[in-house]
Amino acid sequence: AEDLAKRLMKAFDSPSGIPFGRVNLKTGQSNNAGWMKNRASLAEVATLQVEFRYLSAATGKQEYAQAVERIFQLIEYLQPDDGLIPIYIENSGTNPVIWKKVQRISLGSHGDSAYEYMLKIWLQGGRREIVYRQMYDKAVSGLHQHLLFYSRPSGLAYVAQRQQSKPSGKPATAPIFL
């Protein structure tokens, strides 16, 4: 496990601190998938924490936990007041930024796991690392404010996606953290 983790650590060699999405385990070369260009998926970069933190605890080497905790420091910095973070983060520059071309918020594909892991990390840390719970609560509040809708005429609740600050009307696919 530690050999694999050492190889995967090459993904964190991005200029922004937000890891690249792919690592060649033989050469150590890391980059984003071609279709992602200069950006990372929120769900991909925010779902490494539990495993890497556990590996740090198991090996006594804090470098794994520090690398993934840095991701959430950057995500916290990017998290807007409503708590809802767009699903693409530019990671090729020296500072991570929200991808300006398409600012899509989704609790489905590319987004859902990030919010789920905020709660998982808080639980893994014995409910002492309050920043993760605060990020989660902020996002749930934003969900209620901007993404929760009711169908007509049946009144069934659903969670929509948001594109460029406007609800898309499309339900999010599989929002599992609710």
Side-chain angles (χ1 to χ4, degrees):
E2 189 174 3
D3 176 59
L4 177 59
K6 285 180 184 178
R7 293 169 193 245
L8 291 174
M9 288 295 287
K10 296 292 186 183
F12 296 90
D13 290 343
S14 74
S16 67
I18 297 292
F20 292 116
R22 299 190 313 185
V23 177
N24 181 315
L25 297 177
K26 185 175 182 180
T27 67
Q29 181 181 0
S30 59
N31 55 32
N32 293 322
W35 68 274
M36 289 293 282
K37 298 185 171 86
N38 65 339
R39 61 190 190 266
S41 162
L42 175 64
E44 284 184 11
V45 301
T47 57
L48 306 168
Q49 288 67 23
V50 171
E51 295 79 6
F52 274 71
R53 287 165 46 120
Y54 180 80
L55 188 60
S56 279
T59 63
K61 296 180 180 174
Q62 290 306 303
E63 64 192 77
Y64 306 119
Q66 290 168 350
V68 294
E69 287 170 359
R70 174 75 175 129
I71 296 168
F72 260 93
Q73 289 170 353
L74 295 168
I75 290 173
E76 179 189 20
Y77 171 76
L78 294 173
Q79 190 177 36
D81 291 340
D82 67 7
L84 301 172
I85 307 158
I87 61 172
Y88 297 120
I89 302 171
E90 291 183 25
N91 64 346
S92 59
T94 55
N95 294 308
V97 295
I98 300 301
W99 192 47
K100 302 287 188 235
K101 188 173 181 182
V102 177
Q103 293 187 9
R104 186 171 73 186
I105 307 288
S106 176
L107 275 62
S109 179
H110 297 286
D112 59 343
S113 299
Y115 303 103
E116 175 189 346
Y117 267 65
M118 290 172 188
L119 194 56
K120 284 182 176 181
I121 298 164
W122 175 68
L123 291 169
Q124 182 188 45
R127 301 178 181 190
R128 291 184 303 274
E129 298 166 290
I130 194 70
V131 66
Y132 302 115
R133 179 60 194 251
Q134 289 170 336
M135 290 175 72
Y136 176 81
D137 289 345
K138 192 176 182 181
V140 170
S141 177
L143 176 150
H144 283 274
Q145 185 178 2
H146 299 293
L147 301 179
L148 185 62
F149 292 91
Y150 296 90
S151 66
R152 292 190 185 121
S154 60
L156 298 174
Y158 69 95
V159 176
Q161 296 182 36
R162 190 168 78 187
Q163 183 91 17
Q164 306 302 92
S165 302
K166 296 178 184 172
S168 70
K170 288 178 25 179
T173 55
I176 60 172
F177 81 97
L178 297 175

